[in-house]
Each structure stands twice: as C-alpha cells, then as structure tokens.
Amino acid sequence: MLEPNDVRTRELFTVAEAAMHAGTSPATVRTWLCGVEGQKSKPLFVERPRDPGAEIWLSFLELVEVIVARRFRHHGVSLDQLRRTRQNARMRWKVEYPLAERRLKLLGGRVLDDPGEAIDLEWPSTQPALPILAAFATEVFEYDSLEEPNQDAAWATRFYPAGPEGPLMVDPQFSGGAVTFVNRGVTLDTVVGRRAAGESVDFIADDLRLVTSRVRAALQYAGVE
C-alpha cells in the first residue's frame, strides 16, 4: 500500500511534460484525463475526473499510467479496450494505479473480463488487452520489486526516457522529477544549456564527472548536436 506521503503521489508534472515523456500531444493527455464534453467520450482514468478548464498536474504514478497507455495505443489497442482493461485490473488487483503496478509486467497484461475469475488462466483471444505488448509497455520502468505478486502492491519507481539502457532517468526522488542522468543529480537541461552555450561535450562530461558517451547519448535524445 502506498503511504500518504509517498513522493510518487505528489503532483510534479504538467500535462505538457507528461505528453513529452509519453510521446504524444498535450491535447491527447488532457482528453485521457478529462474526456471530451459533448462527445460522450469518457476519461481513461475515470475514477480521477479532472476539470478541463483548470491547470492540471500529474503525479509520477499518473505519469507512468499515461506512458503505458500511450505505448499500448501505439500498437493499436483501442481507447475503449484500454479503459476496460484498466478498470478490470483495478478491480481485480484492488489498486489505484493498475498500469503502474508490477503485475502488469509480471502477468503479461492478463486481465479478464470477469474480475471474479482466476487471473492466471490462459489468455483468450477475446480479452480487451494484448499481453504480448505488456513487455513493451513496461520495459522503460523500474519497480519496487519484481517478485511474484502477493497481497502487497509494488509500484513503478523510475522511468528511463531514453530506454532501459539509456543514460537518463525520471525519478521523483531526484530533482523533483526532472530528467537527470542515472543516479546523479545532474539534469538533462543543465547539459543541454551548457552545450548550447558552446561548451564541448568532452569538457561538459569531464566537468560534471559524466561518461562522455552517455553525455552524447543524452544530447542525442534531446535533439542537440
């Protein structure tokens, strides 16, 4: 169970930041959060309705759910399928953020239409999620634990925006959730700013005690030469 003061539940990310991390548009993220008035389009996260006219901030676990949703959508899972799958998982696992919980990774996305059925049955073709995509959807996250599920939930703790082997991370315990180098307090913005000011990659890496190849990879991720 998440503690009330868990940093992963604090509102740290704007809609624009969530969209950037997920690789989609702010309008799409806002639609998933708020729905579309007049078109009878429900929010994806129906249990946490947002005011479409208000400024919206997301917690780290909400960010993870947005990223996972985008990764499923990228491979053709419909919004209705995703919404039903997520609600099934939420009821079956009794967790608030099912797309940010380790069972999505460990169980291959198997969420049955009937929450009362055993969750480890063979995946039927009629189910509203495609388990083959769960590994792709969750590969960029680190979790509290990846032991076999028990009564305790285990949540995503870290996101690797440039991929699981990349140099960058988003961890709400580091720099307020800013993109930083893995296990360092150095932000990507710092390196991008210094490169824009004309400093060489070698000088930046040496000065900040970073590996040059990882500085280059981070700048490439940021679209900076």
Side-chain angles (χ1 to χ4, degrees):
M1 180 178 294
L2 288 163
E3 297 295 331
N5 62 346
D6 194 306
V7 69
R8 290 170 293 185
T9 64
R10 296 178 188 170
E11 294 182 336
L12 297 173
F13 305 94
T14 65
V15 168
E17 288 170 332
M20 177 193 68
H21 287 314
T24 190
S25 69
T28 294
V29 173
R30 189 171 284 274
T31 295
W32 291 353
L33 295 171
C34 304
V36 179
E37 189 175 359
Q39 296 184 22
K40 297 182 179 179
S41 178
K42 295 180 181 178
L44 175 58
F45 311 107
V46 293
E47 75 283 355
R48 298 191 298 271
R50 306 295 185 103
D51 180 357
E55 184 179 20
I56 296 175
W57 289 79
L58 288 78
S59 70
F60 176 74
L61 293 178
E62 289 173 324
L63 171 67
V64 171
E65 288 212 295
V66 168
I67 294 168
V68 170
R70 171 61 183 133
R71 286 183 154 235
F72 273 106
R73 291 283 288 139
H74 179 74
H75 282 271
V77 177
S78 73
L79 193 59
D80 182 59
Q81 286 177 319
L82 187 56
R83 186 184 295 110
R84 288 189 289 123
T85 296
R86 183 180 174 278
Q87 286 302 306
N88 289 340
R90 190 168 182 267
M91 289 186 291
R92 177 61 182 165
W93 301 338
K94 296 180 174 59
V95 296
E96 186 175 358
Y97 308 96
L99 301 186
E101 213 274 331
R102 65 176 163 178
R103 273 169 281 200
L104 183 68
K105 186 178 186 73
L106 292 177
L107 299 176
R110 290 174 293 176
V111 184
L112 303 184
D113 280 332
D114 182 356
E117 295 184 30
I119 202 165
D120 58 352
L121 296 177
E122 183 179 354
W123 182 267
S125 60
T126 58
Q127 291 309 305
L130 301 178
I132 196 171
L133 301 180
F136 169 76
T138 59
E139 67 178 358
V140 291
F141 302 107
E142 192 172 300
Y143 295 82
D144 281 326
S145 167
L146 282 178
E147 297 177 0
E148 286 300 314
N150 50 33
Q151 295 298 319
D152 298 321
W155 305 99
T157 58
R158 184 174 287 184
F159 164 53
Y160 296 100
E165 304 301 324
L168 301 171
M169 70 177 190
V170 173
D171 186 326
Q173 298 189 78
F174 283 76
S175 302
V179 181
T180 64
F181 283 78
V182 174
N183 294 331
R184 297 291 305 278
V186 180
T187 67
L188 176 60
D189 283 347
T190 296
V191 171
V192 169
R194 292 182 63 164
R195 183 68 180 125
E199 294 181 8
S200 71
V201 173
D202 288 338
F203 179 81
I204 294 170
D206 183 65
D207 189 46
L208 297 176
R209 298 181 181 179
L210 297 168
V211 177
T212 301
S213 62
R214 293 177 75 78
V215 172
R216 290 188 188 281
L219 290 170
Q220 184 179 20
Y221 168 79
V224 177
E225 295 294 333

